[in-house]
């Protein structure tokens, strides 16, 4: 049997070339993703940046720590606390104390990520003056070399820079350190621009004395050595980037495995279906069913071993290219590189071999059932396009997909909105429809070919009859198109539908006519808020972003985003999606929650930790619907101390002139402080968008699927046309010209792509219908968003590949 398998591979190499290429690509992609995952499992320990030369850094409480029965649970505080004044007094006895401040510096025509600091902290990085001197007046600054280009010219001492807080003059330039673009003010001016200081440096050589001085101050940390990195902005950004990369690589690797199994299994099944006469001859020559099956399995293992080896070699070369791409696209930190581990090669190689073997198992069983009389057949007409085993498996998968959807809708509709769910759930439905495709092909081909069959000429009639009599072949050709279109529609459509639902929620909840947003992260100054409240003909609601924390089931510390606002003004400018209660019942002793909370009964008291870590028991004043998950809690400003106002909503009173109010608001808020937008402009500017990592992950996934589709189409088309040589020759003998034969083959290829596109779009529509139903149960009504542009592009590529 091994000799027969080797001879078959040598003489029918074209039939196995596509399987080889598809499997090699799959193993290569698995190797790449495995190497990327292995390299991103742990972020390197980041060295201190801003305080690399500081002796001791004292940081105010910025982490909520809650003891539970299974250990301490922590969460970053929304409003970190400052170092208490009594602690500062004790620290000043140990040495010089320098308070640190950080704030955005918007410069007209300059970079968008400039950050300001007091000049006294520059030495702790350390920064060194390269030109000029230190700042001495409020309008003097020192800048870093990280942004020495402005309008194509270096920023040198003497230049004036227009900032949001007034023009400043550059008096010095320090050497850049790479981790920030810094602007240094005098200590007094920095304190005016950023009144709150969350950390400070103690110039002492006795860290033990510093720890003794802060002892008893809850949450205050003393940072020395490598721990000083926790005083840098966003010290956990590397671990967060690693988590995002793991999700992206894991999803792409899973889809690569799924599609490769699908394509290889489909290719082997099609190859076996074409070789009925060959297997019949083997049976007539005395081969047993078991020997025929072993022949097919030997072929699969030989192809699988060779393709897996080639795939591992391709993956070793492709992994560094992927690493450079994700770094260039800013999807990974600059430090990310691929390190060669052994286990990804083992996983990819043996997975490829298993995929080849598994894809051939069903095909080999069917080959073993071939009767010796098949060798006497003169035609290739299918006796049964859908075997019973395939019908049973396809039906079972469709029932499983429907059952899981029904259970999710009945128990937890919100689970269907999670990325992990809407990425993996379509796989059951795609596989089920693909298995039952031969049953669906005949009515679809008759419908698609109805008009062409009635046009002059025989092309339309031949196209319809060929597809109708060979439904199995048509289904095999359409399967890869079905997979790609279904994935593109499901993934891109899910994110578009969820984004539209979030936009609908925001639009429904907004009763304001104007929305004012600040230009800086620090929020609005009190003087600006007072001017806004004095604008005639308006009701003004100023709100702040904060968070509240709850301990669910005694072990899970949950962070919920929240907004803080005055209840009376909040009621005038917002329409909260309430399921129970009233906004006017909100006070300093209460909270508005949503139905996703474990406790959501009006009047019930719920223990929470506020944004600054203060523990409090609040009464539930009202309950909102769950929605897409963006309906956070609402509290009063007193329960969100130190949370800056980052949104001002303005509603016109009866009879107020919108144009006049807009002018007044513009005068009340200078462009350096904020932007005045109409509600429509604000909704358009804040329309939800898919984050870059998710979008890049989807592009990788769809790129893999499209690549497989092109390979599978080309391979299956070549196999199919090779097998139809006699049929096409008979067409020529019956009077058809070369051009007519080519038109017939091209028309059949286009119809196959159309069948796959219709089935794939139907699968995507069913998946999106499940998300729509989940949103409806969560009280969000939004239309389904099918990505027609992406589907058209995918079908165009498939059509070109099929026709060529």
């Amino acid at each position: 049997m091994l000799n027969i398998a080797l001879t078959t591979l040598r003489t029918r190499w074209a039939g196995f070339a596509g399987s080889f290429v598809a499997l090699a690509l799959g193993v290569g992609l698995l190797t790449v993703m495995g190497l990327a995952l292995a390299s991103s499992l742990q972020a390197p320990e980041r060295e201190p940046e801003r305080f690399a030369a500081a002796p001791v850094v004292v940081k105010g409480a910025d982490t909520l720590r809650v003891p539970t029965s299974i250990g301490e649970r922590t969460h970053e505080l929304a409003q970190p606390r400052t170092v208490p004044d009594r602690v500062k007094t004790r620290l000043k006895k140990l040495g010089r104390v320098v308070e640190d401040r950080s704030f955005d510096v918007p410069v007209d025509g300059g970079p968008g990520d400039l950050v300001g600091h007091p000049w006294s902290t520059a030495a702790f990085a350390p920064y060194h003056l390269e030109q000029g001197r230190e700042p001495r007046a409020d309008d003097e600054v020192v800048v870093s070399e990280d942004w020495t280009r402005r309008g194509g010219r270096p920023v040198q001492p003497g230049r004036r820079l227009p900032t949001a807080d007034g023009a400043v003059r550059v008096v010095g330039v320090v050497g850049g350190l790479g981790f920030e673009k810094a602007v240094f003010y005098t200590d007094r001016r920095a304190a005016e621009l950023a009144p709150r200081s969350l950390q400070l440096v103690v110039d002492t050589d006795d860290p033990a004395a510093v720890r003794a001085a802060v002892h008893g101050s809850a949450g205050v940390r003393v940072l020395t050595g490598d721990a000083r990195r926790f005083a840098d902005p966003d010290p956990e950004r590397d671990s967060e980037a690693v988590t995002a990369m793991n999700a992206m690589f894991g999803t792409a690797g899973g889809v690569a495995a799924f599609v490769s199994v699908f394509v290889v299994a489909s290719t082997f099944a099609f190859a076996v279906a074409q070789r009925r006469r060959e297997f019949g001859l083997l049976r007539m020559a005395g081969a047993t069913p078991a020997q025929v099956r072993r022949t097919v399995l030997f072929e699969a293992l030989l192809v699988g071993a060779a393709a897996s080896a080639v795939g591992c070699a391709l993956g070793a070369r492709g992994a560094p290219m992927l690493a450079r791409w994700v770094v260039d696209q800013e999807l990974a930190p600059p430090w990310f590189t691929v390190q060669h581990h052994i286990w990804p090669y083992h996983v990819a190689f043996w997975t490829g071999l298993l995929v080849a073997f598994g894809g051939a198992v069903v095909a080999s069983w069917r080959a073993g059932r071939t009767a010796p009389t098949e060798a006497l057949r003169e035609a290739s007409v299918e006796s049964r396009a859908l075997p019973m085993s395939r019908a049973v498996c396809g039906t079972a998968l469709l029932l499983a997909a429907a059952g899981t959807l029904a259970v999710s809708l009945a128990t937890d509709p919100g689970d269907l909105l999670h990325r992990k769910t809407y990425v993996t759930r379509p796989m059951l439905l795609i596989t089920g429809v693909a298995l039952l495709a031969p049953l669906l092909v005949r009515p679809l081909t008759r419908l698609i070919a109805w008009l062409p069959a009635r046009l002059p000429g025989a092309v339309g009639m031949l196209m319809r009859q060929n597809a109708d009599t060979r439904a199995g072949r048509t289904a095999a050709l359409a399967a890869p198109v079905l997979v790609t279109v279904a994935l593109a529609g499901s993934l891109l459509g899910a994110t578009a539908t969820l984004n539209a639902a979030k936009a609908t929620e925001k639009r429904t909840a907004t009763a304001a006519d104007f929305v004012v947003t600040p230009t800086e992260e620090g929020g609005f100054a009190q003087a600006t808020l007072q001017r806004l409240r004095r604008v005639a003909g308006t009701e003004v609601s100023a709100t702040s972003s904060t968070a509240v924390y709850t301990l669910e089931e005694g072990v899970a510390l949950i962070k919920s985003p929240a907004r803080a606002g005055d209840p009376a003004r909040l009621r005038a400018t917002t329409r909260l999606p309430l399921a129970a209660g009233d906004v006017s019942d909100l006070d300093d002793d209460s909270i508005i929650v949503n139905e996703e909370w474990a406790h959501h009964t009006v009047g019930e008291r719920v223990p929470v930790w506020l944004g600054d870590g203060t523990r409090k028991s609040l009464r539930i004043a009202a309950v909102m619907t769950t929605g897409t998950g963006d309906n956070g809690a609402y509290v009063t400003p007193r329960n969100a101390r130190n949370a800056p106002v980052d949104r001002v909503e303005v509603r016109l009173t009866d009879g107020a002139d919108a144009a006049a109010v807009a002018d007044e608001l513009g005068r009340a808020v200078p462009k350096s402080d904020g932007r005045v937008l109409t509600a429509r402009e604000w909704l358009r500017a804040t329309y939800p968008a898919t984050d870059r990592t998710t979008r890049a992950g989807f592009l990788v996934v769809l790129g893999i699927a499209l690549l497989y589709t092109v390979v599978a189409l080309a391979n299956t088309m070549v196999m199919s046309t090779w097998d139809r040589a006699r049929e096409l020759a008979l067409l020529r003998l019956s009077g058809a010209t070369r051009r007519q034969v080519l038109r017939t083959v091209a028309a059949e290829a286009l119809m196959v792509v159309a069948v796959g596109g219709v089935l794939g779009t139907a699968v995507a529509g069913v998946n999106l219908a499940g998300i729509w139903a989940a949103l409806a149960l969560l009280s969000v009504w939004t239309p389904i968003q099918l990505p027609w542009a992406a589907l058209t592009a995918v079908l165009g590529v498939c059509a070109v590949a099929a026709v060529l």
Side-chain angles (χ1 to χ4, degrees), residues 42-116:
Q42 187 174 3
E45 198 69 25
R46 181 176 286 274
E47 298 292 328
E49 293 174 336
R50 283 201 58 228
F51 299 98
V56 182
V57 179
V58 178
K59 189 174 180 64
D62 63 349
T63 304
L64 174 63
R65 302 180 184 276
V66 179
T68 70
S69 59
I70 60 172
E72 188 178 64
R73 292 291 177 264
T74 62
H75 243 307
E76 184 179 355
L77 289 173
Q79 277 82 49
R81 299 180 184 179
T82 61
V83 179
D85 290 338
R86 65 180 185 278
V87 174
K88 291 180 185 178
T89 302
R90 293 199 293 264
L91 292 175
K92 288 177 180 177
K93 297 176 182 179
L94 304 176
R96 184 170 70 105
V97 172
V98 178
E99 296 192 25
D100 178 50
R101 306 173 197 277
S102 296
F103 48 92
D104 294 334
V105 183
V107 172
D108 185 19
D113 55 351
L114 295 178
V115 58

Side-chain angles (χ1 to χ4, degrees), residues 176-240:
L177 298 180
F179 57 83
E180 66 177 356
K181 299 179 179 69
V183 180
F184 292 98
Y185 289 78
T186 63
D187 287 15
R188 192 181 74 83
R189 180 57 176 161
E192 291 177 355
L193 297 174
R196 297 187 74 235
S197 171
L198 301 177
Q199 55 196 18
L200 50 86
V201 178
V202 183
D203 195 0
T204 178
D205 295 328
D206 190 0
V210 176
R211 290 190 175 90
V214 304
H215 182 71
S217 300
V220 177
R221 291 190 290 169
V222 177
L223 308 176
T224 59
D226 288 343
R228 291 170 298 178
R229 71 184 182 86
F230 292 108
D232 293 328
D234 196 11
E236 302 298 332
R237 60 187 179 274
D238 286 347
S239 59
E240 293 170 359

Side-chain angles (χ1 to χ4, degrees), residues 393-635:
C393 291
T395 304
L397 287 173
L398 289 184
L399 290 175
T404 55
L405 176 61
V407 170
S408 295
L409 291 175
T411 57
D412 185 13
D415 181 60
L416 296 175
L417 309 185
H418 297 158
R419 183 175 63 181
K420 184 172 68 174
T421 303
Y422 66 70
V423 168
T424 57
R425 194 173 62 84
M427 304 306 179
L428 278 177
L429 190 58
I430 291 172
T431 309
V433 171
L435 287 174
L436 297 177
L439 198 64
L440 306 172
V441 158
R442 282 196 171 97
L444 268 179
T445 53
R446 289 170 186 169
L447 179 64
I448 294 171
W450 180 82
L451 180 60
R454 280 158 176 75
L455 295 176
V459 172
M461 182 268 293
L462 288 173
M463 177 179 69
R464 183 189 64 188
Q465 293 305 116
N466 280 329
D468 194 50
T469 56
R470 294 179 180 177
R473 188 196 68 181
T474 305
L477 291 169
V481 182
L482 157 64
V483 173
T484 307
V485 172
L487 282 176
S490 297
L491 299 184
L492 300 180
T495 54
T497 301
L498 290 176
N499 288 340
K502 292 176 181 179
T504 299
E505 277 186 314
K506 186 178 289 188
R507 183 172 59 252
T508 304
T510 301
D513 297 293
F514 296 95
V515 178
V516 188
T517 56
T519 55
E520 301 181 26
E521 288 186 5
F524 289 107
Q526 286 300 317
T528 302
L529 293 175
Q530 291 173 4
R531 289 195 299 270
L532 286 170
R533 291 189 176 109
R534 287 197 295 265
V535 175
T538 63
E539 293 179 274
V540 177
S541 174
T543 59
S544 309
S545 295
T546 183
V548 293
Y549 308 84
T550 55
L551 193 64
E552 291 189 2
E553 300 179 0
V555 294
L557 186 62
I558 305 298
K559 178 182 180 180
S560 299
R563 292 206 71 81
D566 180 79
R569 299 178 183 274
L570 199 64
R571 187 175 184 180
T573 57
T574 59
R575 294 186 293 263
L576 298 185
L578 295 181
D582 195 292
V583 176
S584 59
D585 293 335
L586 178 66
D587 56 29
D588 294 338
D589 188 47
S590 61
I591 185 173
I592 297 176
V593 303
N594 63 59
E595 291 177 323
E596 198 172 15
W597 282 45
H599 301 278
H600 55 264
T601 304
V602 173
E604 184 180 5
R605 298 197 76 85
V606 56
V608 301
W609 287 265
L610 302 178
D612 63 355
T614 303
R615 183 166 186 174
K616 201 167 184 180
S617 176
L618 297 176
R619 173 180 53 83
I620 296 177
V623 179
M624 295 180 289
T625 58
T626 302
T628 61
D630 284 356
N631 291 335
Y634 281 82
V635 295

Side-chain angles (χ1 to χ4, degrees), residues 273-296:
Q274 284 190 308
R275 294 164 62 191
R276 284 197 303 271
R277 293 187 66 194
E278 177 185 325
F279 294 135
L281 284 171
L282 282 174
R283 292 297 312 283
M284 186 176 286
T288 65
Q291 288 175 319
V292 173
R293 293 187 186 107
R294 283 200 298 271
T295 300
V296 175

Side-chain angles (χ1 to χ4, degrees), residues 274-432:
Q274 284 190 308
R275 294 164 62 191
R276 284 197 303 271
R277 293 187 66 194
E278 177 185 325
F279 294 135
L281 284 171
L282 282 174
R283 292 297 312 283
M284 186 176 286
T288 65
Q291 288 175 319
V292 173
R293 293 187 186 107
R294 283 200 298 271
T295 300
V296 175
L297 292 177
F298 277 138
E299 293 169 358
L301 289 177
L302 290 172
V303 171
S308 296
V310 172
C312 287
L314 289 174
R317 289 184 172 270
M321 297 170 61
L322 175 67
R324 287 194 294 271
W325 181 77
V326 295
V327 170
D328 291 342
Q329 297 296 315
E330 298 182 355
L331 300 170
W335 53 259
F336 179 69
T337 57
V338 166
Q339 303 168 0
H340 286 280
H341 300 262
I342 296 299
W343 68 261
Y345 292 102
H346 278 286
V347 170
F349 181 86
W350 295 110
T351 299
L353 207 57
L354 184 63
V355 164
F357 186 79
V361 165
V362 176
S364 69
W365 184 260
R366 191 173 182 182
R369 295 176 59 189
T370 305
T373 54
E374 292 287 337
L376 304 176
R377 296 181 64 138
E378 290 290 337
S380 302
V381 179
E382 296 173 349
S383 57
R384 185 170 62 184
L386 188 65
M388 182 59 67
S389 59
R390 185 165 175 169
V392 170
C393 291
T395 304
L397 287 173
L398 289 184
L399 290 175
T404 55
L405 176 61
V407 170
S408 295
L409 291 175
T411 57
D412 185 13
D415 181 60
L416 296 175
L417 309 185
H418 297 158
R419 183 175 63 181
K420 184 172 68 174
T421 303
Y422 66 70
V423 168
T424 57
R425 194 173 62 84
M427 304 306 179
L428 278 177
L429 190 58
I430 291 172
T431 309

